[in-house]
Amino acid sequence: MENNIENKEMTAQQSLGIITEMINNSRRTILQNSAKHFLLWGILLTVTSLVIYELWHVTGSPIWNCAWFVMPALGFPIVRILDGKHSDVPQNEINKQLGLIWLTYCIFAVIISVIAMLAVPMNISLVIAVLLGFAECISGFLLKNWTITIGGLILGIGGAVATSLIYNEAQLLIFTLGGIILVVTGLIIKFQYK
Amino acid sequence: MFPKLDPLLHSELRLAVMSILAGVDSAEFSYIKKQTGATSGNLSVQLDKLSAAGYISVEKGFKGKVPCTTCKITPTGLTAFENYVNSLKEYLI
């Protein structure tokens, strides 16, 4: 069907065709819009983890972990700018739930990090890796994409094991892998809903 | 005997609008226009008809300083849309 709809009568078959096409097109547009969020946070996570890794490695000081808080401080304003360009793209159930999952992840990650730094020392990398894998895995189920789901499982379970076996700045490389998985997720969504 | 199709929905543009609105929380006029490829004038007329029937609600407001019209399917509209799809199925089986 041409992308120019008039208000004329049609057959039952044509009606069904319009319904299917409109629902699919709209879903594609909405999810394409979600892909850029995965790309943005994936790039930010990869770059931040590599920068902190390098600074920690060179100076020998874990104090550089404070730089993690730069990530949300930088990421959320960029999200606002990105969404502003496509401000007329609406929300559907899937992207609303994706947003809630990752917002919950972010809240957990920030609060647990603050508690770990100020009050109760814990293997924070393990907790964050599990949370990241968990959020990625559920995103895969929501998007009905097994590659994303398996990526989440590998990240969560593999990350938990790896962060228990390796220490100090080397743990940060788990998050570099996490960032790459998020970028790949964004690319998968972009291609799946092209 | 085939069920009678809702004449308000049995029109390309109005059906397209309802199909879009059935899958989202709400949608702006510009988004619906882009998705359907309809002209502003024609789309406005069809939105008014759907709104008059109580199938959608239309809210006019501002986004910053720019006027913004937002449409949302109502429970009546959703029921009508579901009934329409069910009737279509009977035509096609």
Side-chain angles (χ1 to χ4, degrees), chain A residues 3-10 12 15-16 18-19 22-23 25-26 29-30 87-88 90-92 96, chain B residues 10-13 15-16 19-20 23-26 28 30-31 34-37 42 46 63 84 88 91-92:
Chain A
N3 192 22
N4 192 351
I5 295 169
E6 300 296 328
N7 42 315
K8 60 189 179 200
E9 295 277 323
M10 65 223 145
S15 295
L16 218 53
I18 288 175
I19 294 168
M22 283 300 126
I23 290 173
N25 282 354
S26 191
T29 309
I30 293 166
S87 57
D88 69 345
Q91 291 246 303
N92 70 359
K96 222 163 51 182
Chain B
H10 199 57
S11 140
E12 273 193 73
L13 185 49
L15 183 60
S19 305
I20 293 167
V24 297
D25 289 348
S26 62
E28 290 177 23
S30 56
Y31 178 79
K34 237 180 279 170
Q35 291 291 315
T36 57
N42 193 10
Q46 304 314 320
K63 200 177 223 178
Y84 181 82
L88 274 185
Y91 274 90
L92 294 169

Side-chain angles (χ1 to χ4, degrees), chain A residues 131-187:
Chain A
L131 286 173
L132 189 60
F134 189 75
E136 174 75 3
C137 199
I138 297 177
S139 300
F141 281 123
L142 263 178
L143 292 162
K144 296 190 175 94
N145 188 298
W146 283 105
T147 314
I148 297 173
T149 305
I150 291 166
L153 279 172
I154 293 170
L155 185 57
I157 297 168
V161 173
T163 48
S164 303
L165 296 175
I166 55 175
Y167 299 97
N168 298 329
E169 71 267 35
Q171 284 187 341
L172 295 174
L173 298 175
I174 307 293
F175 299 109
T176 307
L177 173 71
I180 292 166
I181 288 178
L182 287 185
V183 169
V184 171
T185 303
L187 293 174

